[in-house]
């Protein structure tokens, strides 16, 4: 029987047994082709968004009235100068998209990290201490969850002056409850496990148990899946820009590009659609990776 | 056996596990199941007995696959029959009961409806109410109390034993030609398991169901089987009549199996219990109680009070082994948490080395924790998966503080050697350790502080006999060297019989009897102790017969404990006073303590006066 | 007995939650910069007049006093009056009502909401219908064939769908189906067919979440011990799935639906209404935000949290009915 248990879940490559849960998830996800494809595309897009603007040597904000509504390269009349064409003010759409992508990625990543930290802390504390602490924290979480993200965001951003910091704050504020809930429930089940109880029996303090015993075991799986939220937050950023409560012009964001383009939809359809396609491609690569990580996590946690 | 009609003919049956490399699980098994008999299959974990019992009902799932041989049942080869034909046989002609009754039915539907559902899907033209009526009859036949009401209850509302009765109803309701009972008593408490076994024996006799009874406990199989097959490493090593097997085992393996069977009444010397004059009291428990409260969801503002431990008192002397035994729900795990001060008792004192630790603060307690340690049951989950073994064992030293890291490593390595762990495990993560090794890591972690008292909560239960014996020996050695005191908390009578000087028996949150090892086993005073002894699966002559001592019924709920003696509902000889007066734990003539009106007339007289 | 006890407790809890949400939004609206009175009266008004109007409206009282007064009103069923709109003004229109601002003749918030909510309900219902139509077959098949190609397919389909930002998707669909294809009408509202395209956008946003969850819960339910035991008990696999697996899988799904899907739907409803200029509550809300029309923002935020809380209670009640263990 011991042998049976030791030879454990077949899905885990033998060499990887013995490494931390985070490394195991990564290793298992790496074996999925979609993870690698997603990673490659994402890496390319990140590089492009970082290097592109200086390589192409064009300005994202410089207007060029003579070159308004220049079509992208694959349409008749397109030129290599403006690969994705220009908008109603003659600004180059490729540069604008790349900078928009950079901003979106930054906002998405920072806000996800923020909500992960805030939510995990609250979830850990609520799940570990239980009782009244849990009750109070969870009621707050419930209340926070009872406001749809968009409503909270448009309320705050709509009536105040939106800038990257407030946008990130709003996203963190809207996103943490989901993490608090998940971390709380795994903490509660982890808390009952014997190794945690064993540590309590030895006289370890609550902080020690939480940080040293529980957190390293439960947070990596949650953190990996948080990647999916980076994509969600990027969508929110685009929505804010579209409504006009995102980063303010002239800084390009996907939301404003799309919103600007709608006015010229019939004669210059590419202004809206092509940058959006780029965003969708980036989101898709993130989602492919996130999905693969999520599957790897589920396989591992179920196998244990 | 008079008619030589065979129901099932297994010949040359082999099962493989398919994977990167193919591995044989069962190799050329052959046997016949005679009509109206019980065939026992005995094998230890890993022998392939569960695979065999599933193969018999054609219920193997990939990667397991039948790779050869035949299972002939009424002229059909179950090994090769197609799924549709098998579907016709399963449930109607062939029945199977497993070891996990709690998860055998849909948790969201009442049990009665699910059994009726099965009956109706097997017998197509049966009307709903006729099916219901048959289910009710069967529920009565397995003696499920208030069957009409329980028909509409959900699986989670049943105890393990009752749920196993439900599964027996489910299996036998179609009057199948043969039944495979795979380890059905394994998860149950001894007295409950004995009841189930008795019931199955009766039903088998009444329904004349040919039965394959699979178990890892020889004592259980001996109780019910006519013939027996011994399975080891996927092969049949011996096959003969039950009595023959016990008296004249032919194969070496069987002989070892029988000799390893723990003897309870056998005259073997007690291996580890060191006889020290009971002098110094290490731990003194006085009238300790613990009640948990839980909201009653069906009534407003009502809380249920679960009385887990009710006024327990005893002393533990230096250098002795005290055993605390009882079945699930008796409060022994709560008690272990109280003794290890994971939780504080509601009332009472726990004096350790003269200091009351029951309500001590965490900081004060921390210093004392060096001297008493609690070891938990589950060797797999008690070790954090993300820390190296050395780090895990060092944890108590770090928590206590004040030891340099060089000193820590030295002490950890020394302790690892003492408990028999290879030193090169120091830097490894615990993944891949065997249960025995893991339990040793646990032990090392407790021992590294050099405690004086060690509380072992079912610490050895998850290990097999051989590993268990090794650890008992290890505990004995440490005891001799360090003069340590142990409290063994366990459900395993043969274990406490082997190691403990004195034994406390718990029932429903109380100690009902506390006496020396010999007295508990040879001269038990309390009716519950006798019931417990009568239920132990054993191959020796029983001193206490279940017919006399083991009543039907299960312990009452700890929420509403009736007045009077709490064992009354299952006591074979209650007297009038038992209904109203709760017996106190008082001295017995034989120098022990028991809580029963029958045997402590002294107590009665004090109550009367 | 249980149901009553449960409902009572949950309703009390729900009221507390709605109260907290209202307080949060109320405070936020009052601490952020930007004076609504200025927008109300226009930039040309003397500061003294502004102060007078603000005091009349109670905007200069301490926040707790304002909140207390507001809650008292709400309890009487009065959601207040719009800061900006006149009683006769268009329901969602953007401009201030007329040249002169008339304090006495402002539109009642409750009426503004009542006028727009039927449109939103139509849109939401249609969106849920589409979502269910898309996600149930895909998710169910993926769950039953977990790990096989249908599962993979549904995984990739949902990965792609979840990557489409709704603002972009809305515009693209308008371009393809409305502007170029001429199949469906898009902007504004002129009959129920105007709800189809926005509902489709919503459904595409919600479907991936549902598909994955259905697939996972069906697959997990199939893993349960009783399912394979059922086979050996003589119950056919098909019956096992239709009568037991689906029943058990519905519990996590109900939870997901109550918390996540409805939350997403409410949020995206606002955005989609804005994209399509669809005259529902969302458009009313977004315009109100631009105009700093606090009473409207406040009321709609409260309303949407109330909807979420109610859906949650209903969903939990349903779940406890399906699985009795949840009652204990
Ligand atoms: S007190 Fe009475 S009921 Fe209890 S064990 Fe003794 S005889 Fe039985």
């Amino acid at each position: 029987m011991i042998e049976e248990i030791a030879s454990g879940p077949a899905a885990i490559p033998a060499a990887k047994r013995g490494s931390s849960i985070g490394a195991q998830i990564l290793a298992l996800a790496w074996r999925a082709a979609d993870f690698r494809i997603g990673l490659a595309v994402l890496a390319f897009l990140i590089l492009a968004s970082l290097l592109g603007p200086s390589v192409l040597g064009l300005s994202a904000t410089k207007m060029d009235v003579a070159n308004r509504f220049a079509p992208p390269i694959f349409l008749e009349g397109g030129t290599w100068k403006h690969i994705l064409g220009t908008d109603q003010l003659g600004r180059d759409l490729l540069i604008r998209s790349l900078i928009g992508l950079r901003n979106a990625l930054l906002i998405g990543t920072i806000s996800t990290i923020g909500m992960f930290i805030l939510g995990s802390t609250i979830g850990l504390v609520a799940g570990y201490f239980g009782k009244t602490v849990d009750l109070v924290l969870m009621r707050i979480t419930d209340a926070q969850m009872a406001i749809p993200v968009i409503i909270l965001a448009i309320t705050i951003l709509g009536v105040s002056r939106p800038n990257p910091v407030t946008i990130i704050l709003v996203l963190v504020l809207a996103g943490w409850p989901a993490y608090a809930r998940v971390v709380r429930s795994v903490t509660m089940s982890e808390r009952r496990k014997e190794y945690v109880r064993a540590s309590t029996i030895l006289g370890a303090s609550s902080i020690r148990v939480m940080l040293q015993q529980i957190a390293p075991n439960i947070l990596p799986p949650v953190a990996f899946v948080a990647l999916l939220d980076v994509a969600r937050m990027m969508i929110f950023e685009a929505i804010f820009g579209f409504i006009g409560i995102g980063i303010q012009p002239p800084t390009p964001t996907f939301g404003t590009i799309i919103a600007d383009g709608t006015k010229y939809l019939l004669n210059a359809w590419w202004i809206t659609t092509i940058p959006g396609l780029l965003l969708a491609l980036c989101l898709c690569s993130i989602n492919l990776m996130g999905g693969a990580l999520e599957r790897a996590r589920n396989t591992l946690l179920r196998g244990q | 056996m008079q008619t030589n009609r065979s129901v099932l003919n297994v010949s040359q049956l082999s099962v493989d596990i398919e994977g990167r490399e193919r591995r044989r699980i069962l190799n050329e098994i052959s046997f016949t199941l005679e009509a109206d008999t019980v065939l026992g299959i005995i094998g230890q974990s890993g022998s392939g007995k569960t695979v065999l019992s599933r193969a018999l009902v054609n219920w193997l799932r990939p990667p397991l696959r039948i790779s050869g041989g035949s299972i002939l049942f009424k002229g059909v080869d179950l090994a090769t029959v197609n799924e549709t034909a098998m579907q016709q046989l399963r449930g109607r002609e062939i029945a199977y009961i497993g070891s996990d009754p709690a998860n055998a039915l849909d948790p969201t539907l009442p049990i009665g409806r699910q059994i009726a559902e099965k009956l109706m899907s097997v017998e197509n033209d049966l009307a709903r109410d006729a099916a219901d009526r048959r289910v009710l009859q069967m529920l009565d036949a397995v003696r499920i109390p208030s069957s009409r009401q329980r028909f509409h209850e959900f699986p989670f509302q049943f105890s393990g034993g009752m749920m196993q009765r439900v599964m027996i109803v489910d299996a036998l309701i179609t009057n199948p030609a043969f039944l495979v009972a795979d380890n059905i008593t394994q998860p149950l408490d001894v007295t409950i398991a004995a009841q189930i076994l008795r019931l199955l024996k009766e039903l088998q006799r009444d329904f004349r169901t040919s039965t394959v009874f699979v178990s890892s406990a020889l004592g259980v199989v001996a109780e019910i089987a006519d013939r027996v097959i011994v399975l080891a490493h996927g092969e049949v090593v011996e096959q003969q009549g039950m009595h023959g097997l016990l008296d004249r085992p032919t194969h070496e393996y069987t002989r070892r199996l029988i000799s390893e069977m723990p003897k309870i009444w056998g005259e073997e010397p007690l291996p580890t219990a060191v006889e020290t004059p009971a002098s110094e009291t290490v731990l003194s428990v006085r009238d300790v109680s613990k009640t948990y409260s839980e909201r009653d969801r069906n009534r407003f503002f009502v809380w249920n009070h679960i009385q887990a431990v009710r006024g327990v008192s005893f002393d533990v002397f230096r250098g002795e082994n005290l055993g605390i035994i009882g079945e699930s729900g008796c409060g022994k795990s709560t008690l272990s948490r109280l003794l290890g001060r994971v939780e504080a008792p509601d009332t009472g004192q726990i004096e350790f080395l003269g200091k009351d630790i029951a309500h001590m603060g965490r900081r004060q307690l921390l210093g004392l924790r060096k001297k008493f340690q609690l070891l938990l049951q589950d060797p797999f989950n008690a070790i954090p998966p993300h820390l190296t073994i050395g780090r895990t064992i060092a944890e108590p030293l770090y928590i206590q503080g004040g030891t340099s890291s060089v000193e820590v490593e030295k002490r950890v390595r020394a302790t690892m050697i003492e408990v028999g762990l290879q030193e090169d495990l120091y830097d490894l993560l615990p993944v891949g350790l065997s249960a025995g090794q893991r339990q040793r890591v646990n032990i090392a972690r407790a021992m590294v502080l050099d405690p004086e008292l060690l509380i072992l909560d079912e610490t050895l239960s998850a290990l097999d006999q051989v590993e268990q014996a090794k650890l008992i020996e290890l505990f004995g050695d440490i005891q001799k060297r360090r003069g340590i005191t142990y409290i063994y908390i366990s459900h395993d009578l043969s274990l406490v019989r082997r190691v403990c000087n004195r034994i406390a028996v718990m029932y429903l949150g109380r100690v009902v009897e506390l006496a020396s090892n010999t007295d508990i086993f040879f001269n038990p005073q309390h009716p519950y102790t006798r019931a417990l002894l009568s239920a132990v699966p054993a191959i020796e002559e029983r001193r206490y017969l279940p017919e006399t001592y083991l009543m039907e019924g299960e312990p009452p709920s700890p929420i509403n404990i009736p007045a009077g003696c709490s064992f009354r509902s299952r006591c074979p000889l209650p007297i009038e006073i038992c209904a109203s007066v709760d017996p106190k734990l008082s001295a017995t003539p034989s120098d022990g303590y028991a809580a029963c009106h029958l045997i402590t007339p002294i107590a009665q007289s004090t109550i009367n006066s | 007995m249980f149901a009553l006890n449960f409902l009572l407790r949950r309703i009390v809890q729900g009221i507390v939650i709605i109260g907290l949400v209202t307080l949060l939004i109320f405070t936020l609206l009052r601490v952020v910069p930007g004076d609504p009175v200025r927008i109300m009266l226009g930039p040309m008004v003397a500061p003294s007049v502004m102060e007078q109007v603000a005091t009349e409206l109670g905007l200069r009282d301490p926040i707790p006093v304002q909140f207390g007064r507001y809650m008292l009103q709400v309890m009487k069923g009065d959601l207040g009056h719009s800061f900006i709109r006149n009683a006769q003004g268009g329901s969602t229109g953007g401009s201030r009502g007329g040249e002169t601002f008339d304090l006495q003749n402002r539109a009642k918030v409750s009426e503004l909401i009542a006028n727009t909510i039927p449109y939103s309900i139509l849109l939401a219902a249609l969106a849920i219908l589409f979502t269910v139509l898309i996600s149930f077959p895909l998710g169910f098949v993926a769950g039953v064939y977990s790990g096989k190609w249908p599962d993979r397919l549904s995984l990739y389909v949902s990965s792609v769908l979840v990557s489409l930002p709704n603002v972009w998707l809305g515009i693209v669909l308008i371009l393809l189906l409305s502007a170029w294809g001429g199949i469906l009408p898009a902007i504004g509202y002129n009959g129920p067919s105007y709800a189809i395209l926005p509902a489709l956008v919503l459904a595409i946003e919600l479907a991936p979440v549902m598909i994955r969850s259905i697939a996972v819960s069906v697959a997990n339910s199939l893993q349960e011990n009783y399912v394979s035991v059922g086979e050996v008990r003589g119950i056919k696999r098909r019956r096992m799935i239709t009568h037991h697996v689906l029943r058990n899988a519905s519990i996590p799904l109900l939870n997901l639906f109550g918390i996540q899907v409805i939350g997403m739907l409410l949020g995206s409803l606002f955005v989609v209404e804005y994209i399509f200029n669809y005259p529902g509550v969302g458009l009313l809300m977004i315009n109100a935000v631009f105009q700093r029309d606090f009473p409207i923002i406040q009321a709609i935020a409260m309303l949407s949290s109330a909807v979420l809380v109610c859906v949650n209670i209903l969903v939990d009640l349903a779940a406890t009915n399906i699985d009795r263990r949840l009652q204990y």
Side-chain angles (χ1 to χ4, degrees), chain A residues 57-277:
Chain A
L58 291 168
S59 162
T61 48
K62 209 190 94 209
M63 299 175 208
D64 180 0
V65 193
N67 249 329
R68 295 164 68 216
F69 302 118
I73 184 79
F74 48 84
L75 287 184
E76 208 185 308
T79 58
W80 280 104
K81 185 158 181 260
H82 300 291
I83 298 175
L84 295 186
T86 60
D87 66 4
Q88 72 281 6
L89 298 174
R91 297 173 296 192
D92 182 72
L93 277 172
L94 178 60
I95 295 295
R96 288 180 65 76
S97 302
L98 288 179
I99 293 179
L101 183 64
R102 188 165 71 195
N103 290 334
L105 276 167
L106 271 177
I107 287 180
T109 313
I110 297 175
S111 55
T112 305
I113 293 175
M115 67 180 74
F116 172 74
I117 293 174
L118 182 63
S120 306
T121 313
I122 289 176
L124 207 56
V125 169
Y128 184 81
F129 289 104
K131 304 214 175 93
T132 321
V133 181
D134 182 41
L135 206 73
V136 171
L137 287 177
M138 280 305 117
R139 277 301 94 73
I140 297 176
T141 314
D142 285 348
Q144 179 75 74
M145 277 196 131
I147 320 175
V149 183
I150 298 280
I151 294 180
L152 186 70
I154 56 180
T155 310
I156 300 178
L157 296 175
V159 296
S160 69
R161 227 165 282 114
N163 61 48
V165 177
T166 48
I167 292 171
I168 288 174
L169 282 180
V170 164
L171 289 176
V172 170
L173 191 64
W176 70 266
Y179 287 88
R181 265 175 185 247
V182 172
V183 170
R184 166 184 176 264
S185 76
V186 277
T187 304
M188 285 176 110
S189 69
E190 202 72 7
R191 207 179 105 80
R192 281 192 286 268
K193 287 207 181 148
E194 298 230 331
Y195 78 92
V196 177
R197 275 174 51 202
S199 176
T200 325
I201 292 168
L202 296 172
S205 63
S206 309
I207 304 246
R208 192 185 178 89
V209 174
M210 271 193 280
L211 292 186
Q212 200 201 313
Q213 307 280 329
I214 299 181
N217 267 313
I218 61 166
L219 292 188
V222 182
F224 282 123
V225 178
L227 186 58
L228 291 171
D229 263 352
V230 174
R232 272 185 61 216
M233 295 307 126
M234 287 169 70
I235 292 186
F236 280 128
E237 196 266 347
I239 293 174
F240 297 166
F242 184 84
I243 301 180
I245 55 175
I247 300 176
Q248 296 299 300
T251 312
T253 73
F254 283 117
T256 46
I257 299 174
I258 292 171
D260 287 349
T262 53
K263 295 177 203 118
Y264 314 98
L265 200 56
L266 284 177
N267 37 18
W269 55 267
W270 57 87
I271 302 182
T272 288
T273 42
I274 303 219
L277 210 54

Side-chain angles (χ1 to χ4, degrees), chain B residues 526-527 565 567-568 571 573-575 578 583 595-598:
Chain B
H526 197 279
C565 175
F567 187 59
R568 198 176 75 243
C571 183
L573 358 119
I575 49 178
C578 305
C596 172
H597 294 306
L598 278 187

Side-chain angles (χ1 to χ4, degrees), chain B residues 409-481:
Chain B
E409 174 157 1
K410 224 176 77 194
R411 281 178 67 180
V412 169
R413 286 187 186 275
T415 315
M416 284 176 74
I417 295 171
E418 182 172 6
V419 301
L421 280 171
Q422 282 123 353
E423 255 192 280
D424 48 11
L425 293 175
Y426 188 89
D427 288 316
L428 296 187
L429 285 174
V431 201
L433 289 192
S434 72
Q437 279 173 313
R438 277 171 179 264
Q439 203 52 283
R440 282 188 162 84
V441 173
N442 265 332
I443 295 168
R445 177 169 57 184
M447 287 292 180
V448 76
L449 287 172
D450 200 7
E452 294 177 29
L453 172 69
L454 203 54
I455 303 156
L456 307 162
D457 183 4
E458 301 276 12
T459 304
L460 304 175
S461 312
L463 305 175
D464 61 37
Q465 290 290 333
V466 182
E467 196 59 40
Q468 209 176 55
K470 280 191 210 152
L471 284 183
I472 290 176
E473 202 175 314
L474 174 67
F475 282 133
D477 290 346
I478 296 174
Q479 186 165 49
K480 274 186 212 116
R481 224 173 306 131

